[in-house]
Amino acid sequence: MENMVLELGYALDTFYFLMCTALVMWMAAGFAMLESGLVRAKNTVEILNKNALLYGIACIVYLVVGYNIMYPANPVSSVIPGIDFLLGADNSVEDVVAGGDGAPYYSAMADFIFQAVFAAATMSIVSGAVAERMKLWPFLIFAVVMVAVIYPVEGYWKWGGGFLDQLGFQDFAGSVVVHMAGAAAALAAVILVGPRKGRFGPNGEVRAIPGANLPMATLGMFILWMGWFGFNGGSELKIANVDEANAVAKIFVNTNAAAAAGMVVAALVARFLFGKTDLTMTINGALAGLVAITAEPLLPSAGVASLIGAGGGVVVVFSVLLLDKLKLDDPVGAISVHGSAGIWGIFAVLISNPDATFMGQLIGTAATFAWMFIASFIVLLIIKAVMGLRVSEQEEAEGMDVHECGMHAYPEFGPDHIK
């Protein structure tokens, strides 16, 4: 009977883990819809191609090497992980029914696939920030290095038992480990690629470049919101007892509350600043609330979670305005949503988690940002020297769809069909 209970718990926790994985995988569709809605029609196919291919590349590369760097069997040190390739065998029945604190309670394969979709999500953050001017294949080459080495190294520092974990750095589901990490890489890419032509005037004026399909962008936001239940809920890793089931339910409530508050507050701030309710700020407010609560979605009350999400909504609006002043062109607001809100979220952990310290959170954030930014900058600089990062002025003016992909997203509205 005891063995049956252990096996049933193992099966339930594994099933829950896999369902959360499916939700996080669905976020790839959310990123694709959000980004393609916020770019101009002439760049839609390229951004969709980029999102589809980066997901496939991330899954392959993480399977071959990335996972084993992030969770090494024989780490060199608390800073330098080991290296191994492909996956080993899954847990045996004997291991499961042995019981005790060291016994596995979900499939090792489930753990791999859950972490793989997280790796793909991290890379997706970079995609939107360099939209409409970065070449497709240099981006995909960078994706290989990012998912193989850059992201897994900093993931090891926290989630693989490295020095940040030993230091007491607290990041439940990845406000910094995933979101700010992706934003730091995106910032390096944005600096090297430069702004879109016409985005900033000669006297410093900021010129808006509207997206082509805001209904699609809004759909993308809701898909990401839905996927975030798996992102945060799955990070609890367990559900097969009363306490864990209650914990998962609370994570879902707090995740939803933070998103709702972030969205509403960002809309109010935009209304106050601009006199209009900017839909893109509404969308990014919801996502910023989600990023902010990701660092600690379990311990706060629903009210505190709402305040944390609201803080994300405020931060994202002013971050977007600051990047514009700095002439850093981010077409979808990825750096603000995932970076600025991620930093706010990691320090908001101090409100509810007694194990968190200010210095621990600061060191974890600074170390992650420094590694992701510097490593990404160096790799992108090498790619730039070898094959270039940016399309030509003509290709940018005519659109990346026809030059990079040889097709239009909306052919009936293309130049060849307008009489």
Side-chain angles (χ1 to χ4, degrees):
M1 179 61 72
E2 184 180 350
N3 286 357
M4 184 180 296
V5 171
L6 289 170
E7 289 190 45
L8 183 60
Y10 180 94
L12 182 56
D13 285 332
T14 296
F15 178 75
Y16 172 68
F17 215 5
L18 293 172
M19 292 304 97
C20 287
T21 297
L23 284 172
V24 180
M25 184 272 169
W26 185 230
M27 292 174 74
F31 280 116
M33 295 300 97
L34 177 72
E35 294 172 18
S36 60
L38 292 177
V39 301
R40 288 166 288 184
K42 63 184 180 179
N43 298 311
T44 304
V45 174
E46 193 272 345
I47 202 75
L48 291 172
N49 228 337
K50 184 185 293 181
N51 275 274
L53 285 168
L54 80 83
Y55 180 80
I57 288 170
C59 290
I60 293 168
V61 171
Y62 199 70
L63 170 66
V64 172
V65 68
Y67 180 72
N68 287 325
I69 289 179
M70 194 160 168
Y71 299 96
N74 299 295
V76 176
S77 71
S78 63
V79 176
I80 303 172
I83 186 168
D84 203 350
F85 299 94
L86 300 174
L87 304 178
D90 210 335
N91 303 314
S92 68
V93 175
E94 290 75 17
D95 290 336
V96 174
V97 300
D101 293 338
Y105 53 89
Y106 57 78
S107 165
M109 292 296 174
D111 183 69
F112 160 73
I113 193 64
F114 186 70
Q115 296 299 336
V117 292
F118 266 54
T122 307
M123 190 61 216
S124 294
I125 295 166
V126 184
S127 170
V130 296
E132 302 203 280
R133 75 273 200 203
M134 184 174 178
K135 295 176 181 178
L136 176 60
W137 285 99
F139 172 86
L140 296 176
I141 291 170
F142 174 66
V144 172
V145 183
M146 169 90 159
V147 179
V149 180
I150 301 176
Y151 166 70
V153 166
E154 65 90 15
Y156 161 69
W157 290 346
K158 168 55 187 170
W159 290 340
F163 81 98
L164 292 182
D165 187 54
Q166 297 169 17
L167 186 68
F169 175 57
Q170 301 295 319
D171 190 358
F172 187 92
S175 283
V176 160
V177 175
V178 172
H179 295 284
M180 194 214 66
L187 178 61
V190 164
I191 291 171
L192 284 172
V193 174
R196 291 168 290 176
K197 190 171 179 61
R199 181 70 171 88
F200 302 108
N203 299 316
E205 61 269 29
V206 178
R207 297 168 178 166
I209 300 179
N213 197 328
L214 292 183
M216 188 179 291
T218 306
L219 173 63
M221 178 267 291
F222 278 115
I223 292 173
L224 288 168
W225 191 330
M226 177 182 174
W228 232 286
F229 292 123
F231 201 99
N232 286 353
S235 296
E236 180 64 13
L237 308 180
K238 258 185 122 169
I239 198 172
N241 61 58
V242 173
D243 287 341
E244 294 296 341
N246 288 342
V248 168
K250 188 177 182 184
I251 289 170
F252 272 54
V253 169
N254 285 348
T255 298
N256 193 67
M263 178 172 65
V264 172
V265 169
L268 290 171
V269 172
R271 173 72 180 179
F272 176 78
L273 293 176
F274 315 132
K276 304 292 181 182
T277 309
D278 187 323
L279 175 61
T280 62
M281 291 298 184
T282 300
I283 290 171
N284 281 337
L287 300 178
L290 289 163
V291 170
I293 199 61
T294 294
E296 184 46 82
L298 174 59
L299 295 180
S301 66
V304 172
S306 299
L307 292 176
I308 292 170
V314 174
V315 165
V316 74
V317 175
F318 287 100
S319 178
V320 168
L321 297 177
L322 176 62
L323 289 183
D324 283 346
K325 287 186 178 180
L326 295 174
K327 293 185 172 56
L328 295 171
D329 183 18
D330 179 357
V332 304
I335 297 170
S336 297
V337 167
H338 301 277
S340 300
I343 293 171
W344 153 245
I346 208 69
F347 287 101
V349 172
L350 296 167
I351 299 171
S352 60
N353 188 339
D355 294 330
T357 65
F358 178 80
M359 285 307 299
Q361 301 303 88
L362 179 62
I363 293 170
T365 301
T368 301
F369 179 86
W371 165 254
M372 293 300 301
F373 180 82
I374 294 170
S376 297
F377 194 92
I378 291 171
V379 171
L380 286 164
L381 202 60
I382 294 170
I383 295 172
K384 182 177 182 180
V386 173
M387 58 192 306
L389 294 176
R390 186 167 181 142
V391 297
S392 68
E393 285 194 18
Q394 180 182 354
E395 290 171 331
E396 186 177 352
E398 295 176 356
M400 297 178 70
D401 286 1
V402 64
H403 287 280
E404 291 274 12
C405 307
M407 61 181 67
H408 295 284
Y410 312 102
E412 62 271 31
F413 299 108
D416 295 337
H417 295 270
I418 298 174
K419 304 298 182 184

